Amino acid sequence: MIDQAFVNLNSTLLGALPEVLRPWAAGLVKIGVIAGLAPLIMMYLTWFERKVIARMQNRLGPDRVGIYGLKQPLADGLKMLMKEDIVPEGADKLMHTLAPLVALIPALLLFLVLPFGRNMAPLDLNIGVLYTLAVGSIGSYAVFMGGWASRSKFPVMGAMRTVAQIVSYEIPGALAVITVIMVTGTMSLVSIVEAQSQWWFVLTPWGFIGAIIFFLSGVAEVNRTPFDMPEAESELVGGFHTEYSGMKFALWYMAEFLESFAVCALTVTLFLGGWQGPAIPFWVLAAVLVIIMAMAKRLPIVAKVMGIGALVALSVVSFGEAIPSWLWFFTKTYSLMFVMVWFRGTFPRLRVDQLMGFAWKFLLPLTLVNIVIAGIWVAMPSVVGVLLDVVIALVSLVVLVKLNQPASLEKRTYTFAE
Amino acid sequence: MTGFGVLRGMGITLRQFIGTYRFGKWFLKLIGLDEGSGITTVAYPEVKQKHAENFRYFPFLVYDESPEDMRCVACKICEQECPPQCIHITMEKDEKGAPTKKFGRTYPAQFDIDVSICMSCRICVDVCPFDAIEMDNDYEVADYGRGPEMNFNRDKLLKSAEYFGKIKPTEHAEVEARLEPKRAKAKAAAAAAAAKAAEAAKPAEDKPADEDPSDAGSDKGDAS
């Protein structure tokens, strides 16, 4: 019942409308949900990132505005809205204004094909995978537009780095997805999720390698640490958005966060089983949440009572049901977001040549090998095939690591010095 | 092996992350891992960091029993020694220009320290021969202006010796040890003066004739 709650609500609401309006209303509801959900997701991703990174650095993170700093994103948004919007002298005004929008709209469009839960994909495109790859790469145009239109050195340098990086990392990313298409024989994201009802693809040899490669290329494509060359703040001030201020700057950030969310969601959909999950009863989760809420120190009593009451009521109403599919989807996606933040908390930025070398000399050959592995998986569905897969994967990994070893110079001996 | 350094690094950040939660700390202890540093910052206005006893911030004037009984005698040494010149003192005087006394001492009518100029160097404390000025450790002196709001006057600067003993016990003990003989002396002098006054109040017919020569004689004898 909770699983299909939103679907049922939607159909009930639509059923109340006259026949003529229904297709239009259905479209509007989807647009409304995505347009409303996306800023909310983005705002709380910033909060999430700041909190997690703070904990990793032994700090508390934002905790001044609201309980646990939960109103911080609202305060930030308000601040951004009130700031002066500066366009540099000599900048291309139209392009400068257009660039953040061009970045934001594809990021929103990515949400169109994501299956958020069982029967909860806004649109089941039969070329869903191709669509996400195509729409996702429009972002690089926006970044270059913004960088170029700013008429400033740092943005241009940041933008050039971005284009080089995105073009490089798109190739391993797309080739990693090919394995999924090979095995499932479909490009529809909904069908791909349904194909994982037995085993999540990440548990197969090709899926494991593919998931890691796809996720890493995704991290690089959305310019996040350790691949954040385009905005390398220690080198390029702010990279492509150096000359942006106020709400336009916020739009850049919104695009970046939505794209990171989309990358995580795509990785989940393609390799981590999407909205599928083990059939754990909902009341188990509710019980865990109730315990956490009861233990929380700074939560006000009213919120505690209301939250616990709602959870208990929900688990009573839906007794015996499994954890809803959309909850699985969001949990997995946010776990991957946590991994992204974890990367940011751990790794220093790569050098440009290391970045390019990683894409072209390590990930690309590995994806090609991975396609072979997936082919063997499909052609030889037996223990021998699996063993062959594992052997090929390990051997190619070792060989690639050896080949990518930086040249170590021989130790120099100074004959005359001794 | 290649790549394992990356994983080890991620392990360290994850351990620090988990270690900032109560449960996490307990869990890490349970599986025998180092707990990490925990939260090292404090939520300032609610929680205050403990500072060392010798932490100092802006001087204050010390009084012993009552605010009237201040140790300061308005000698102006600190005013002259103050490197940024933030102290301003005026001695209390009567109409004729002679210093008025309270508790047998001169005292300042006005004692201002501009805390927006003060650099908390402690030189005034070091030069004060009467231990009348000491360093405070109250750092919450922010205000909405930098004119009169930052110019602390005598009444605002006066704090009891008891307070000083509370914030800096060690230094307070030292100062007390230094002041004790002086106080005893002053007490003795006061007692002597009182006795003298009492004697002076006695019938004054025969006394002066008796005492004066003998006193002078004994003084001379001591000196020679």
Side-chain angles (χ1 to χ4, degrees):
Chain A
M1 202 182 96
I2 337 172
D3 188 23
Q4 295 298 305
F6 296 117
V7 179
N8 293 340
L9 185 70
N10 185 24
S11 51
T12 324
L13 285 179
L14 288 181
L17 285 171
E19 194 80 41
V20 198
L21 288 175
R22 261 178 225 170
W24 296 93
L28 278 177
V29 165
K30 280 167 189 166
I31 293 170
V33 167
I34 292 176
L37 203 64
L40 199 75
I41 287 175
M42 177 263 172
M43 279 159 65
Y44 281 94
L45 279 183
T46 60
W47 175 85
F48 177 76
E49 170 156 22
R50 289 175 65 180
K51 271 302 209 194
V52 172
I53 207 102
R55 291 276 176 173
M56 285 180 178
Q57 295 165 350
N58 303 116
R59 297 182 286 119
L60 275 171
D63 70 338
R64 294 290 98 188
V65 201
I67 336 149
Y68 300 108
L70 273 171
K71 286 187 210 149
Q72 185 70 41
L74 297 174
D76 284 344
L78 207 63
K79 180 199 80 174
M80 282 297 187
L81 271 173
M82 291 197 297
K83 275 197 162 182
E84 189 188 357
D85 176 28
I86 300 166
V87 180
E89 205 174 281
D92 189 334
K93 284 210 174 63
L94 179 67
M95 287 292 170
H96 193 263
T97 315
L98 208 58
L101 296 175
V102 175
L104 180 63
I105 288 168
L108 280 174
L109 285 178
L110 280 176
F111 282 69
L112 185 63
V113 290
L114 291 177
F116 290 100
R118 193 178 279 117
N119 306 328
M120 274 173 76
L123 190 65
D124 183 12
L125 274 185
N126 57 355
I127 50 156
V129 176
L130 193 63
Y131 171 85
T132 53
L133 291 177
V135 171
S137 57
I138 295 176
S140 58
Y141 291 100
V143 169
F144 200 78
M145 267 167 78
W148 185 257
S150 297
R151 200 192 165 104
S152 174
K153 274 119 192 148
F154 288 126
V156 174
M157 278 166 78
M160 291 200 310
R161 283 183 180 187
T162 312
V163 173
Q165 181 177 322
I166 293 185
V167 167
S168 306
Y169 275 90
E170 244 166 27
I171 298 166
L175 287 177
V177 179
I178 281 187
T179 54
V180 178
I181 301 169
M182 278 167 68
V183 172
T184 56
T186 173
M187 273 195 172
S188 153
L189 288 173
V190 175
S191 317
I192 287 174
V193 172
E194 270 155 14
Q196 298 179 64
S197 56
Q198 289 295 314
W199 287 100
W200 299 356
F201 288 156
V202 76
L203 299 172
T204 60
W206 58 270
F208 185 69
I209 300 174
I212 289 174
I213 293 174
F214 183 78
F215 185 63
L216 284 181
S217 342
V219 172
E221 267 182 73
V222 298
N223 312 326
R224 286 191 56 94
T225 349
F227 307 106
D228 62 342
M229 307 307 302
E231 45 180 286
E233 58 266 11
S234 51
E235 303 158 27
L236 298 178
V237 189
F240 59 88
H241 56 57
T242 305
E243 303 289 353
Y244 279 89
S245 57
M247 208 53 207
K248 284 189 203 162
F249 178 78
L251 285 184
W252 276 121
Y253 258 86
M254 192 161 162
E256 191 187 309
F257 273 101
L258 286 182
E259 272 177 17
S260 350
F261 185 82
V263 161
C264 295
L266 273 176
T267 316
V268 166
T269 307
L270 292 171
F271 296 101
L272 291 172
W275 43 259
Q276 316 254 16
I280 301 167
F282 179 70
W283 61 266
V284 175
L285 178 73
V288 171
L289 286 178
V290 163
I291 290 171
I292 291 176
M293 266 194 185
M295 300 284 286
K297 252 197 241 161
R298 271 182 288 168
L299 212 60
I301 294 291
V302 185
K304 260 186 197 181
V305 170
M306 279 170 69
I308 291 173
L311 278 171
V312 169
L314 262 182
S315 43
V316 166
V317 165
S318 65
F319 193 76
E321 279 184 47
I323 294 175
S325 55
W326 43 270
L327 208 56
W328 273 117
F329 177 82
F330 280 104
T331 312
K332 287 180 194 171
T333 310
Y334 271 93
S335 311
L336 277 187
M337 265 321 288
F338 178 83
V339 175
M340 273 197 177
V341 179
W342 190 5
F343 280 174
R344 192 180 151 201
T346 310
F347 302 130
R349 190 177 304 123
L350 265 70
R351 224 164 48 209
V352 178
D353 63 316
Q354 290 170 336
L355 181 88
M356 289 297 165
F358 187 59
W360 290 103
K361 296 195 289 195
F362 186 76
L363 290 185
L364 184 61
L366 200 59
T367 43
L368 294 176
V369 171
N370 198 28
I371 289 174
V372 174
I373 293 174
I376 292 172
W377 177 271
V378 176
M380 296 168 68
S382 62
V383 185
V384 185
V386 176
L387 280 178
L388 198 60
D389 272 350
V390 173
V391 167
I392 292 177
L394 287 178
V395 167
S396 57
L397 202 63
V398 169
V399 169
L400 277 174
V401 167
K402 274 276 174 300
L403 286 177
N404 273 300
Q405 219 56 254
S408 57
L409 301 171
E410 272 178 41
K411 203 185 173 205
R412 202 181 272 187
T413 46
Y414 298 92
T415 34
F416 290 108
E418 285 161 11
Chain B
M1 213 190 104
T2 314
F4 273 74
V6 168
L7 293 180
R8 206 179 306 134
M10 287 178 75
I12 289 171
T13 37
L14 187 67
R15 192 159 48 85
Q16 295 289 354
F17 173 80
I18 295 172
T20 58
Y21 292 97
R22 278 176 295 159
F23 267 124
K25 217 162 206 168
W26 172 80
F27 176 73
L28 286 175
K29 207 181 257 173
L30 191 74
I31 59 173
L33 277 176
D34 180 37
E35 295 167 34
S37 320
I39 297 277
T40 51
T41 55
V42 295
Y44 162 59
E46 290 97 43
V47 189
K48 280 175 193 168
Q49 218 155 20
K50 269 192 141 176
H51 41 62
E53 193 190 317
N54 280 343
F55 168 70
R56 62 171 197 251
Y57 210 63
F58 296 145
F60 70 98
L61 285 173
V62 190
Y63 67 79
D64 281 316
E65 259 84 59
S66 68
E68 297 287 294
D69 180 23
M70 57 191 104
R71 290 182 188 169
C72 180
V73 299
C75 67
K76 297 197 181 184
I77 295 177
C78 52
E79 186 183 346
Q80 286 182 359
E81 292 288 337
C82 179
Q85 307 254 300
C86 65
I87 306 181
H88 182 75
I89 305 171
T90 327
M91 196 189 276
E92 180 70 49
K93 286 174 179 167
D94 56 16
E95 306 91 64
K96 281 182 273 174
T100 49
K101 289 190 177 183
K102 222 189 270 177
F103 298 97
R105 295 189 290 272
T106 53
Y107 63 97
Q110 192 193 7
F111 193 112
D112 291 346
I113 297 181
D114 194 331
V115 294
S116 64
I117 296 173
C118 175
M119 60 186 199
S120 305
C121 64
R122 205 179 181 272
I123 287 177
C124 49
V125 177
D126 288 340
V127 299
C128 184
F130 305 99
D131 292 301
I133 190 164
E134 290 295 350
M135 295 307 286
D136 205 343
N137 61 8
D138 176 23
Y139 47 88
E140 291 169 317
V141 292
D143 211 317
Y144 288 103
R146 46 181 188 177
E149 294 89 348
M150 288 283 111
N151 197 12
F152 284 18
N153 60 16
R154 191 188 73 185
D155 297 332
K156 203 165 177 188
L157 287 168
L158 272 171
K159 284 172 183 173
S160 66
E162 206 178 318
Y163 168 80
F164 180 52
K166 214 169 3 177
I167 60 168
K168 294 177 180 185
T170 322
E171 212 180 331
H172 178 68
E174 274 170 32
V175 169
E176 286 300 306
R178 197 157 55 222
L179 284 181
E180 209 44 57
K182 280 192 196 173
R183 267 199 205 125
K185 220 174 178 180
K187 217 172 201 176
K196 212 172 183 181
E199 272 189 36
K202 270 184 184 177
E205 296 97 59
D206 50 329
K207 275 261 161 174
D210 264 12
E211 265 189 29
D212 273 351
S214 67
D215 266 6
S218 70
D219 274 354
K220 261 179 196 159
D222 281 348
S224 58

